[in-house]
Each structure stands twice: as C-alpha cells, then as structure tokens.
Amino acid sequence: MSAKYIRIAKRIIEQIEREHILIGAKMPSLRQFCELHNISMTTALACYRYLEKFDYLSAEYKKGYYVQRPCVVPQPIRRQTFPLFKTKVCNTDKRPEQRPITESDYSLATAQLDTTLIDRASLARCLKAVTKDADFTLLYDEINGSLALRTQLSQHFATQGFTVAEEELVITNGCLDAVLIALESVSQAGDVIAVSSPCYSGLLDILATIGRAVIEIPSTETGMDLVQLESALITQKVKACLFTANHQNPTGHSLGNEQKQAIAELASKYQVPIIEDDVFRELSHQRTIPLPIKYYDQQGWVIWCSSMSKTLAPGLRIGWCVAGRFTDKFIRQRQARTLGVNQPIQLALARYIAKGYYATHINKVNRALRTNSDQYIAFLHAHLPTHADVYAPSGGLVLWLTLPAVDTQTLADELSEKGVYVKAGAQFSSTRLCNDCLRINMGNLASSAIYVQLKQLCKLARKRMNT
C-alpha cells in the first residue's frame, strides 16, 4: 500500500482532473490541510510536494499553493523543422517595409502581456510609497543606475541560481536600449554581426539602422548549428554575435545548457563578444526559469541584456546590462546618449521586488501563459490544414506558424483589412526562407475576441493553402 500522503495526493489529482477543484484555485494552507485530513504537518508538506513534483501545484512566495494543470505540450500539427542553409553575409539595408499596425488590447501582432495580467495595483502602491521616502531626491542617480534596484535585481537572480553582483549591473531604458549600446560598444558600421535564424525583427531593424551586416546561423531542433557558427567565427570576420538563448522571438525556441556553455566557450576561444538578448527568460512554460548564456561566461565575453518590459509591463522601459569586460565602454556609450534612467520608476521597481510582488507576479503570469499556449495551439491544431506547422514554445509570448507555399506578407495584409494583425515571417530573416511563416502574440488570454481573430487567420490560411 502506498504512503498516506500519496493516497491523499492522488485523490486531489483526481478532483483536479474531474474539475471538482478548478485550475487557479488557491489550496488550503498547510495548517488547514492538516486539520481537513487529520494528518501531521510532515504528511501535509509531503503531499503538497508530491503534487508540485507532478506539476499540479505551484507555490507562490508568501501567498500559498495554487492549482495548475500539468504542462502537456500539444503535438504540433506536423513535426516542426527549421530551414537548413549555408550561412552567408547579408546586408540589412533592404529590410521589408514596416507597415503601420493599429494596436488594440487584443492584437496578435505585438509580443506583450494581456492588460489584465499587468499588476497595476501593486506597482501603483510602490510608486506612491517611494515618493515619500527620504532618498527620493530627483537628483542625478549613480552612473550604473539606482543601487536599490541593482541590489534587488541581484538578490532576485540569485533565487534562480544565477549570481550577478549589483556593481556589475547597469540600468538602461529597456532591453533594446541595452542591446543597441552594446552593439555600438563592440562594433562599427560595416561590421558583421552573427544572429540566429530566424531572428527578432526589432534586432534586425537595429542592425540595419546602425549599418551592420548580418550572418544568420541556422536554428536546429536541439538549438543552433554550432558547426556553422564556429566556421563563421573563423572565416567571416564576425565582430560580435547577437543571440537569444531562452524562448527566442519569434519561435519560442530555446537552447540547451550544453549549447549555452559551448557558445560561451566559443566566445572566449575566438575573443568575439556575445550580446545576449534575454528579455523572455523569466516567461517560462516549464517548472523552472532557465539559465542564460552569461551563466557560463568565465572570461567576460558575454554581454547580458534584459528588462521587465515583457514580464511586467511594456510601458516601464527599465532594462539592465551586465557587460563583463566591456563595462567601461558600455557606460561611456550610455553616457553619450543619456545621463541616466527614470529614478522614481527604478525606486518603485526596487520596492516591488523587495516586497515579493515580482516573484509572485512571475509565477502567476507563467501559469496563465502555459495554459494560454496550450489553448492557442489546440485551436490552431483543430482549424489549420494538417500540412501546417505550429511550433510549441518552451516559453515566451509568441507562436511561430509555418504555412507551406503561402506568401504570409500577402496574408498579413489581407488580415489587416479585417482588423486582424500578425507579423509576416519575412520580417524575421534576411533570407527568403521564412516567407511562408508568421508570428502571433499569445500573451492575450484566450477569449471570444481572440478566437474570432484566430478563426479569421485559419480561414484565410486554409483558403490560400488549398489554392
């Protein structure tokens, strides 16, 4: 006979599966659970840990335990593969035209959280509180940014197994600001920058604006083609690399820890800086927050950039960078652009993290996004033709669709006339290998308004794939 805590846990699992206990419901406290089942605290704790192990419960700091459904990754409509190609240097001066997008709370075009997932109340309380603090001076802040915020970020990352000292952090105006400063710190116009393929359109736009050439490194099912990366580092005079290792935009694809370590070692071996855009790292659909490439960096060649724009709220515009051996250059470049970052927002975010609000928020958001991803993919699976692909992401806010033989830019234009906005695959590559792909935001909670748009997308996709 199984242990008592297992028997109790299995009864709870059965109730969850039968929806007698609803997803998102808060479980009784451990003390209440002891009284309900007439068990010891040790047995109650073992039961909750068993449920956590099998992904039926999630603990939130100072909040308690919440019910969730185990993450079952839906089968793709067809096995997703990434295009295979021989890398070559491409100029970025002929980027696809950026068509204006009319945004709404339910846009499928921009990777952002549903407005209901933004923790407005706690953020507002923190902002109000810091204006009454004695250190609220509105004077110029430290050159690296608010010490209070850097300290809280350092402590927060440590809970995820990633140690960053507060003196290493430089606060910036968002992640893209950090990436741009990093690029200008380590490269010049005309230099070649290696990027993963496909690559976030905003990064390609930055490279085009500052006159850098790109060489795309193919993605693979297990991460990135490191053979072609090393070949490019040897033969193509690559000045820097610009990679996202965790929940890449646009695919939601992630690199394994072995690949992250290998990339850090290649950077050191060939003395080529790696700029890591890690803005989606904390939006994980798995049980744990993954480590960045920076974790494996022993010689300071990785410049780690991130922000809270995707995890908390896009309007905050607060990011950070750990620039390693390039810290002095990075700070000089930042000073040439701006003397600092909004002080009240920095202090409010420091308070927000210190109060435990941020850790709680991340847990809540990731539970919602994991369910959302399953619902979006299940809907697309049911309504798209069987020869379409939907990549099941490991985290993040976006889904990557492949619609064979469909010009997705034309499809996107047709959808926009119906008030449905998506991003065509051509925006995410300097090659033509993504012209039959498109990216949609799945940060908006599944709703009737979202399903109306997805139905329009699937209807037009079916029409074009059948002609």
Side-chain angles (χ1 to χ4, degrees), residues 186-201:
V186 300
S187 67
Q188 298 178 343
D191 284 340
V192 177
I193 309 297
V195 300
S196 57
S197 182
C199 177
Y200 170 47
S201 58

Side-chain angles (χ1 to χ4, degrees), residues 303-320:
I303 304 174
W304 183 60
C305 307
S306 191
S307 81
M308 293 183 177
S309 297
K310 301 302 183 183
T311 58
L312 189 54
L316 292 172
R317 310 317 309 153
I318 295 291
W320 53 84

Side-chain angles (χ1 to χ4, degrees), residues 179-251:
V179 168
L180 176 57
I181 295 171
L183 282 165
E184 294 189 325
S185 299
V186 300
S187 67
Q188 298 178 343
D191 284 340
V192 177
I193 309 297
V195 300
S196 57
S197 182
C199 177
Y200 170 47
S201 58
L203 297 179
L204 293 177
D205 291 338
I206 285 178
L207 292 169
T209 299
I210 62 176
R212 285 8 174 216
V214 301
I215 183 166
E216 294 190 29
I217 308 300
S219 294
T220 67
E221 289 185 31
T222 57
M224 186 186 300
D225 188 337
L226 297 188
V227 173
Q228 290 211 57
L229 172 59
E230 184 165 16
S231 175
L233 295 177
I234 295 171
T235 64
Q236 298 296 337
K237 296 183 179 180
V238 171
K239 193 67 175 179
C241 301
L242 177 53
F243 296 145
T244 297
N246 298 306
H247 323 315
Q248 297 172 0
N249 184 352
T251 62

Side-chain angles (χ1 to χ4, degrees), residues 75-81 381 385-391 402 404:
Q75 289 298 314
I77 295 172
R78 182 165 59 84
R79 185 172 179 82
Q80 171 74 44
T81 57
H381 187 283
T386 56
H387 51 297
D389 286 336
V390 180
Y391 188 83
T402 303

Side-chain angles (χ1 to χ4, degrees), residues 234-452:
I234 295 171
T235 64
Q236 298 296 337
K237 296 183 179 180
V238 171
K239 193 67 175 179
C241 301
L242 177 53
F243 296 145
T244 297
N246 298 306
H247 323 315
Q248 297 172 0
N249 184 352
T251 62
H253 189 47
S254 293
L255 307 184
N257 287 343
E258 289 184 3
Q259 284 222 330
K260 294 172 187 175
Q261 183 173 355
I263 289 172
E265 290 172 353
L266 286 174
S268 179
K269 178 179 179 179
Y270 295 103
Q271 299 189 350
V272 175
I274 305 289
I275 302 170
E276 183 176 11
D277 176 356
D278 207 20
V279 73
F280 289 105
R281 183 179 70 94
E282 293 188 281
L283 295 181
S284 175
H285 301 173
Q286 313 302 314
R287 287 180 56 85
T288 58
I289 306 297
L291 294 166
I293 298 172
K294 183 65 180 176
Y295 175 82
Y296 300 97
D297 178 27
Q298 300 297 315
Q299 303 295 327
W301 288 98
V302 178
I303 304 174
W304 183 60
C305 307
S306 191
S307 81
M308 293 183 177
S309 297
K310 301 302 183 183
T311 58
L312 189 54
L316 292 172
R317 310 317 309 153
I318 295 291
W320 53 84
C321 180
V322 178
R325 62 174 59 229
F326 304 100
T327 298
D328 290 343
K329 287 183 178 180
F330 186 93
I331 290 175
R332 286 198 297 272
Q333 282 289 337
R334 204 203 70 170
Q335 282 184 296
R337 292 176 168 275
T338 175
L339 291 176
V341 179
N342 186 295
Q343 187 198 60
I345 297 297
Q346 290 186 75
L347 295 174
L349 287 176
R351 187 181 187 90
Y352 187 81
I353 299 170
K355 289 287 185 179
Y357 296 147
Y358 187 54
T360 297
H361 168 78
I362 289 295
N363 286 335
K364 176 183 176 181
V365 164
N366 282 339
R367 285 202 310 272
L369 289 178
R370 188 170 73 174
T371 299
N372 226 39
S373 176
D374 290 350
Q375 291 173 334
Y376 272 62
I377 293 175
F379 185 93
L380 294 167
H381 187 283
H383 292 85
L384 282 174
T386 56
H387 51 297
D389 286 336
V390 180
Y391 188 83
S394 58
L397 292 169
V398 296
L399 291 178
W400 185 244
L401 284 62
T402 303
L403 309 173
V406 174
D407 180 346
T408 54
Q409 185 60 69
T410 302
L411 176 64
D413 293 341
E414 189 174 353
L415 284 168
S416 69
E417 294 175 1
K418 300 179 181 297
V420 179
Y421 303 99
V422 299
K423 291 290 285 284
Q427 301 285 340
F428 301 96
S429 177
S430 58
T431 73
R432 298 180 59 83
L433 297 174
C434 295
N435 288 8
D436 61 353
C437 300
L438 61 84
R439 189 205 74 182
I440 63 173
N441 172 42
M442 57 91 176
N444 289 315
L445 298 181
S447 64
S448 58
I450 291 296
Y451 286 133
V452 166

